[in-house]
Amino acid sequence: MPRVLVVDDDYFIRTLYAEELADEGYETELCGDASLLMDTISRINPDVVVMEIHLDKRDRWNLLRTIRRVFPNVPVVLNTAKLSLPKEADILADAHVIKSFDLSDLKAIIRALAQNVASAQ
């Protein structure tokens, strides 16, 4: 069963995503604090990370760069309410989706990324 780490500082978003992804057959772990993110990724070894880009106000791009450097094989999906993201988002993330209560786009991206991870192993 693929494991998805949902990273968002909004408890209700984390809970909604966990329920929706569990219904799709994913094992879902949650993280709401940027300071715990690297330890959480290390501990649970997720197949995909779904991350709110505004989680870490200090330097969110540094956080994403660190994930990429330390865990280069873990796909990261940026999940944000912004319609457009800087070029850096396309360089550092595997995908990005607009936050919505309709999670069909997010689920499709997770499914594709999880299949890529499984076939690479």
Side-chain angles (χ1 to χ4, degrees), residues 11-23:
Y11 169 81
F12 296 106
I13 295 290
R14 288 193 313 267
T15 303
L16 170 68
Y17 285 23
E19 291 172 2
E20 289 281 328
L21 293 173
D23 288 346

Side-chain angles (χ1 to χ4, degrees), residues 17-37:
Y17 285 23
E19 291 172 2
E20 289 281 328
L21 293 173
D23 288 346
E24 295 289 315
Y26 296 106
E27 182 180 332
T28 308
E29 299 284 339
L30 306 174
C31 180
D33 186 338
S35 67
L36 302 174
L37 180 57

Side-chain angles (χ1 to χ4, degrees), residues 42-71:
S42 183
R43 181 176 47 82
I44 69 166
N45 191 27
D47 296 297
V48 178
V49 173
V50 176
M51 180 177 151
E52 162 59 60
I53 193 56
H54 297 293
L55 180 70
D56 187 344
K57 303 291 189 224
R58 294 168 290 167
D59 189 346
R60 57 188 167 250
W61 301 116
N62 253 353
L63 180 60
L64 192 50
R65 274 188 219 94
T66 302
I67 292 169
R68 282 298 187 213
R69 183 174 36 78
V70 177
F71 306 103

Side-chain angles (χ1 to χ4, degrees), residues 88-100:
E88 195 150 20
D90 290 330
I91 295 168
L92 294 172
D94 294 279
H96 64 273
V97 295
I98 303 299
K99 264 189 187 179
S100 171

Side-chain angles (χ1 to χ4, degrees), residues 69-109:
R69 183 174 36 78
V70 177
F71 306 103
N73 298 322
V74 176
V76 177
V77 179
L78 297 181
N79 188 40
T80 181
K82 294 207 177 234
L83 295 177
S84 64
L85 291 173
K87 223 182 240 190
E88 195 150 20
D90 290 330
I91 295 168
L92 294 172
D94 294 279
H96 64 273
V97 295
I98 303 299
K99 264 189 187 179
S100 171
F101 289 107
D102 175 3
L103 301 183
S104 55
D105 288 344
L106 178 62
K107 290 175 186 178
I109 290 169

